[in-house]
Amino acid sequence: FNPATAGMLHLNGMAPQTITNNGILSFGSNQAININNYTGIQLNSPVTFNSTVNFTAGIVTVPDPVKITFSAAATAAGASGTCFVDGKVEKIGNTAFSFPISKPGFGLVPVGLNNFTGGSATTAFTAEYRRQSANSLSTNLAPGIHHVSNLDHWTIENSGTDMPVVDVTLSWNAFTSNNGSVSF
């Protein structure tokens, strides 16, 4: 999808949509996307966005090991507790970005990256929200860390080749924290 002039592709409807292709599906810099399907969209193949992706309604499910990639020029707008990505999202570049991620039933729990020091237009980070105890990964805690969630965690990986320094902002809400219960 690489139109000569700017256009908007609407992924909408009243039934679940599935996108499966051989290889990587890429949307050019003139092709904005509007996700507006309350019943959801499943991406069974890698997709790369090079423009704006508007999250209006519905959950975009991305089963492992597939991921969505936002290029250096791409943006994500409008994500909410009912419209986000359930799966891996990769962002290319060294500019601020909020990963529109969560799991169904838990509201929006984005990860923000900003204040890059170093890096380049090819810097890449991949993020995913997981609804499982972080202790399942390791019980070996770094100095200064004394509480780890028993309910959820995020994975944030440098999927590129350079090593910038970046600030990470995590988000949570009453749904993800089990209303602030002791088990959180």
Side-chain angles (χ1 to χ4, degrees), residues 14-49:
M14 303 302 285
Q17 294 172 312
T18 301
I19 297 175
T20 304
N21 60 290
N22 292 324
I24 297 172
L25 176 61
S26 292
F27 293 92
S29 59
N30 279 332
Q31 188 64 70
I33 305 297
N34 184 41
I35 295 169
N36 189 15
N37 184 331
Y38 287 95
T39 59
I41 299 167
Q42 181 159 328
L43 301 178
N44 293 324
S45 306
V47 175
T48 298
F49 298 110

Side-chain angles (χ1 to χ4, degrees), residues 71-152:
S71 74
T75 60
S80 69
T82 58
C83 190
F84 53 81
V85 176
D86 175 8
K88 290 182 182 178
V89 175
E90 180 179 53
K91 175 60 172 146
I92 308 294
N94 61 347
T95 58
F97 185 75
S98 181
F99 291 83
I101 55 178
S102 189
K103 293 286 182 202
F106 294 103
L108 182 64
V109 287
V111 170
L113 299 181
N114 54 48
N115 298 325
F116 281 77
T117 302
S120 68
T122 61
T123 295
F125 282 92
T126 301
E128 182 178 11
Y129 175 71
R130 296 187 181 216
R131 192 70 187 161
Q132 70 186 51
S133 173
N135 289 312
S136 67
L137 300 174
S138 173
T139 56
N140 184 13
L141 301 178
I145 295 177
H146 51 82
H147 286 82
V148 176
S149 173
N150 286 319
L151 298 176
D152 61 357

Side-chain angles (χ1 to χ4, degrees), residues 157-176:
E157 300 171 319
N158 182 338
S159 51
T161 57
D162 53 9
M163 301 297 286
V165 175
V166 62
D167 291 343
V168 176
T169 303
L170 303 175
S171 303
W172 60 90
N173 58 49
F175 299 116
T176 60

